[in-house]
Amino acid sequence: MKKLPLLKIKTRVGKNKTSYYYKAKFGKCSLTGDPAEKYLTADTPQELQAKFDDWFSYYYSNGKTLLDREKYNLRKDNGIRTYNDLINVWLENLSVKPATANGYKSRARCHLSPHIGKYKIGSLTISDLQSVIDKITNELAPKCDLWERVVYDYQKLFEFATKRRYISDNLMKKVDYDIKKTKNYLKSLKIEDDDEDIVKVYDGEQLKKILATVEEYSKGNVYQAPCFAIYIKMLIYSGFRPSEALALTWKDVDFKLNKIRINKTITNDDSGIGTPKTKSSKRTIKMSESFMKELLKFKHIQQLYYWRVTEKNNQPTFVFTNMKSIMQGIGYEWYTLKNFRNIWKRLCRNNDIPLFEGSTLHCFRHTHATTQLLQSTQSYEVKMKLVSKRLGHSDVFETMKTYHHLFPEQKTSFDEDFDSYMNELSTSKITLKIV
């Protein structure tokens, strides 16, 4: 071991004891690049030498100084060696719904692990991370929403790692990822992001064709045909999210008051029943009398078919019960979104119906909301509030943001009212009293 130079050891004489000090230098700190220095103190020169030996041996055997651990209080022996290890621990500790967790895992697999996964903890620099964010920006800029989500994931990962003391510094706070970059990139590609935000809906003529198509399809002898037909009609008449409708049980349906209660949803992977998207998603919707009569008729058809595949007097639980799954004892008691998406795609191709990719069944929710807003004779504010409550939005501003393009006159009217008011103020006569 290196012997401490006696000339550089300082002493401090107190009333009862003498203390010994030494400023130890160990090269550079492996985390910051700053000089690794430490003021050692002890009651005897032997203790001072022993402390120095501990620091010196750790520095040369591990490649990191004790100063790294002491200054940043990093965790020891946590089993995390690379950012892939860190990403896995972060995903395991997410306190979100399974559907949301699946989204995090998918983005981590595609956009986090390939870029930073192989880096060892402590070896990733600001310039490395900046290059990664720039690359992601260029790849995902045309899909602005996805770009923002991926950057948000990087933020959450580094916040988690810093809070748990797996890393010493939150590098994302030092990286430039201004959203303006994406806006400029969109302009360079001549993509109008405002037009991309407009939801895709079916017009009146298309709705007529869709209703006629599903009505014809429902005449099939197989139970699945009328089940799918009533499902599509429910989406059109209610504005439910597709997963909310699939989770409905007959206890949620009130035929006396013509109401349907939403209080659950099918999870993203179709494997279970979960809570609705938000608190406001729990709601009770008034349905048209004509639709509820069709639904009651379907219930009787379902009951007869159910008795054929199960014991008599058994009652089906779900409105959209998967009889094939019950007969074979496999899968789930309800139909999955994948089942009905595939049927809908096939009907669209065979009947020349526009198919909105990316919102295959969700477009019926937008179609319902758009029809409600355009057909209502209420004032703009009132019908926005009513539709917002019907859709289960967290607030009315979410509804306005989604469907504002339907009422371009509102902005014009707003501007004109303001100009008129200001003109009236500027031309009105007042008497001033000069003091």
Side-chain angles (χ1 to χ4, degrees), residues 61-79:
S61 62
N62 294 281
K64 290 186 178 181
T65 66
L66 288 177
L67 179 66
D68 296 345
R69 297 289 177 186
E70 184 176 272
K71 184 175 181 180
Y72 297 104
N73 194 23
L74 298 181
R75 292 188 170 195
K76 299 178 182 179
D77 302 324
N78 50 45

Side-chain angles (χ1 to χ4, degrees), residues 62-216:
N62 294 281
K64 290 186 178 181
T65 66
L66 288 177
L67 179 66
D68 296 345
R69 297 289 177 186
E70 184 176 272
K71 184 175 181 180
Y72 297 104
N73 194 23
L74 298 181
R75 292 188 170 195
K76 299 178 182 179
D77 302 324
N78 50 45
I80 296 178
R81 299 290 177 265
T82 66
Y83 274 88
N84 261 335
D85 299 332
L86 181 60
I87 291 169
N88 291 333
V89 173
W90 170 60
L91 292 174
E92 289 171 2
N93 286 273
L94 287 174
S95 55
V96 294
K97 292 182 180 180
T100 308
N102 288 338
Y104 276 110
K105 290 175 183 177
S106 176
R107 292 192 297 274
R109 185 174 62 253
C110 299
H111 304 293
L112 271 70
S113 293
H115 294 298
I116 65 172
K118 293 182 180 179
Y119 280 92
K120 291 182 179 179
I121 297 298
S123 65
L124 184 68
T125 65
I126 298 173
S127 59
D128 292 332
L129 189 56
Q130 183 68 65
S131 299
V132 168
I133 296 300
D134 290 342
K135 184 177 180 181
I136 290 173
T137 300
N138 292 332
E139 288 178 354
L140 303 181
K143 301 175 182 178
C144 184
D145 288 345
L146 180 58
W147 179 85
E148 291 184 68
R149 286 176 191 152
V150 171
V151 172
Y152 177 76
D153 290 347
Y154 274 92
Q155 288 175 324
K156 299 305 290 184
L157 172 66
F158 278 86
E159 284 175 12
F160 168 82
T162 309
K163 187 177 180 180
R164 293 288 187 96
R165 304 192 309 278
Y166 293 132
I167 59 176
S168 62
D169 199 11
N170 188 344
L171 299 182
M172 278 301 289
K173 289 185 177 180
K174 301 177 181 180
V175 170
D176 176 23
Y177 48 90
D178 193 345
I179 190 64
K180 289 180 181 178
K181 279 187 174 183
T182 310
K183 297 292 184 184
N184 293 335
Y185 191 77
L186 286 170
K187 288 178 181 177
S188 70
L189 295 175
K190 298 181 180 180
I191 295 176
E192 296 295 334
D193 54 321
D194 289 342
D195 292 340
E196 290 294 314
D197 291 338
I198 296 178
V199 293
K200 296 172 182 177
V201 300
Y202 293 111
D203 59 29
E205 290 301 317
Q206 290 170 334
L207 272 180
K208 280 183 185 179
K209 187 172 184 179
I210 289 169
L211 289 171
T213 301
V214 295
E215 182 64 33
E216 184 64 28

Side-chain angles (χ1 to χ4, degrees), residues 305 308-310 322-330:
Y305 199 91
R308 285 169 52 190
V309 300
T310 65
N322 190 338
M323 297 297 183
K324 185 177 180 181
S325 177
I326 293 172
M327 283 190 293
Q328 297 178 355
I330 58 172

